[in-house]
Amino acid sequence: KTGAEPSSIVIAPDDDTAYVANRAAATVVKATKLTSAPAVSPPVDVGSEPTGLALSPTGKRLFVAEFAEGRVSVIDTATMKVVGTIDEPDHPRALAVTNNGDDNDSDGLLVVPEFFGEASGVEGSDTSRTGRVRLYKLSDLTPAAAVTLAPISSGFAPTDATGAVIGPVTQTAPNQLASAIVVGGKLYVTTVSASPAPPFKFNVNVQPVVEVVDLQSHQQDLGALEI
């Protein structure tokens, strides 16, 4: 047992240690000796509703997204003590960390998507939200240039009961940025994007979108995917 409502888990570089965030309990625990005699540490109190975890490349620091608190806490994994916080985010839910494969924890980035899109246009329109991905330098946790995610074409047009197209292709705006993963120089963020303008049909008002970010340029990547 780890605590009430375990919501996220991350495995340490030794493949024998894990960290678990307990959303209802507002705690984090360390689970050791996973492959032999699993044991769980005393809980570490963090802010309200911890929902996402990420480790620095060496595993020395654990980052905790506190969704309701509007904060990211930093835990020293050796002592299991909170050693810092990032207070800028409003509703962080998922986290990711870049890793260039060396043993240096200071040359990467902490990736913190804002869960909700930010109001940026006429309310109720298909372009009324902009996504934001905050970036922080692992060296000192100061902000790097944030990435904004503009509305995009959904690729779908509304149809009537017969299947005939009755309007232009719908635009859709980033919202509910729920997960993030770094692969090479790219960041992939899952979103439930919103298109609230009429007509009201299930297949054009809500769109599942995977946003792509180029981490070199800190720009939304709208190019064709290489498969």
PDB file of all heavy atoms in Angstrom, residues 133 141 146 152 170 203 211:
ATOM      1  N   VAL A 133       3.101  25.272 -22.590  1.00  0.00           N
ATOM      2  CA  VAL A 133       4.027  24.308 -21.995  1.00  0.00           C
ATOM      3  C   VAL A 133       5.171  25.105 -21.382  1.00  0.00           C
ATOM      4  O   VAL A 133       5.942  25.756 -22.094  1.00  0.00           O
ATOM      5  CB  VAL A 133       4.570  23.318 -23.045  1.00  0.00           C
ATOM      6  CG1 VAL A 133       5.553  22.353 -22.393  1.00  0.00           C
ATOM      7  CG2 VAL A 133       3.420  22.548 -23.700  1.00  0.00           C
ATOM      8  N   LEU A 141      16.345  25.762 -11.961  1.00  0.00           N
ATOM      9  CA  LEU A 141      14.879  25.785 -11.979  1.00  0.00           C
ATOM     10  C   LEU A 141      14.307  27.145 -12.378  1.00  0.00           C
ATOM     11  O   LEU A 141      13.148  27.445 -12.086  1.00  0.00           O
ATOM     12  CB  LEU A 141      14.288  25.342 -10.625  1.00  0.00           C
ATOM     13  CG  LEU A 141      14.661  23.926 -10.189  1.00  0.00           C
ATOM     14  CD1 LEU A 141      13.988  23.592  -8.867  1.00  0.00           C
ATOM     15  CD2 LEU A 141      14.295  22.894 -11.247  1.00  0.00           C
ATOM     16  N   ALA A 146       8.831  29.585 -22.677  1.00  0.00           N
ATOM     17  CA  ALA A 146       7.666  28.695 -22.723  1.00  0.00           C
ATOM     18  C   ALA A 146       7.243  28.472 -24.175  1.00  0.00           C
ATOM     19  O   ALA A 146       7.561  29.263 -25.065  1.00  0.00           O
ATOM     20  CB  ALA A 146       6.519  29.284 -21.927  1.00  0.00           C
ATOM     21  N   ILE A 152      -5.432  24.516 -34.140  1.00  0.00           N
ATOM     22  CA  ILE A 152      -5.081  23.909 -35.424  1.00  0.00           C
ATOM     23  C   ILE A 152      -6.347  23.378 -36.099  1.00  0.00           C
ATOM     24  O   ILE A 152      -7.421  23.291 -35.492  1.00  0.00           O
ATOM     25  CB  ILE A 152      -4.087  22.740 -35.258  1.00  0.00           C
ATOM     26  CG1 ILE A 152      -4.709  21.609 -34.418  1.00  0.00           C
ATOM     27  CG2 ILE A 152      -2.790  23.227 -34.628  1.00  0.00           C
ATOM     28  CD1 ILE A 152      -3.857  20.347 -34.368  1.00  0.00           C
ATOM     29  N   THR A 170     -13.400  22.042 -39.108  1.00  0.00           N
ATOM     30  CA  THR A 170     -13.423  22.666 -37.790  1.00  0.00           C
ATOM     31  C   THR A 170     -12.015  22.938 -37.277  1.00  0.00           C
ATOM     32  O   THR A 170     -11.136  22.080 -37.372  1.00  0.00           O
ATOM     33  CB  THR A 170     -14.154  21.744 -36.795  1.00  0.00           C
ATOM     34  OG1 THR A 170     -15.469  21.494 -37.268  1.00  0.00           O
ATOM     35  CG2 THR A 170     -14.227  22.367 -35.417  1.00  0.00           C
ATOM     36  N   ASN A 203     -18.754  14.597 -32.908  1.00  0.00           N
ATOM     37  CA  ASN A 203     -17.519  14.330 -33.637  1.00  0.00           C
ATOM     38  C   ASN A 203     -16.816  15.584 -34.148  1.00  0.00           C
ATOM     39  O   ASN A 203     -15.812  15.484 -34.838  1.00  0.00           O
ATOM     40  CB  ASN A 203     -17.773  13.378 -34.802  1.00  0.00           C
ATOM     41  CG  ASN A 203     -18.784  13.915 -35.799  1.00  0.00           C
ATOM     42  OD1 ASN A 203     -19.496  14.871 -35.511  1.00  0.00           O
ATOM     43  ND2 ASN A 203     -18.852  13.293 -36.966  1.00  0.00           N
ATOM     44  N   GLU A 211      -0.169  16.960 -29.559  1.00  0.00           N
ATOM     45  CA  GLU A 211       0.639  18.104 -29.955  1.00  0.00           C
ATOM     46  C   GLU A 211       2.112  17.706 -29.956  1.00  0.00           C
ATOM     47  O   GLU A 211       2.568  16.921 -29.118  1.00  0.00           O
ATOM     48  CB  GLU A 211       0.431  19.273 -28.991  1.00  0.00           C
ATOM     49  CG  GLU A 211      -0.952  19.883 -29.028  1.00  0.00           C
ATOM     50  CD  GLU A 211      -1.163  20.819 -30.201  1.00  0.00           C
ATOM     51  OE1 GLU A 211      -0.192  21.055 -30.968  1.00  0.00           O
ATOM     52  OE2 GLU A 211      -2.290  21.335 -30.338  1.00  0.00           O
TER      53      GLU A 211
END
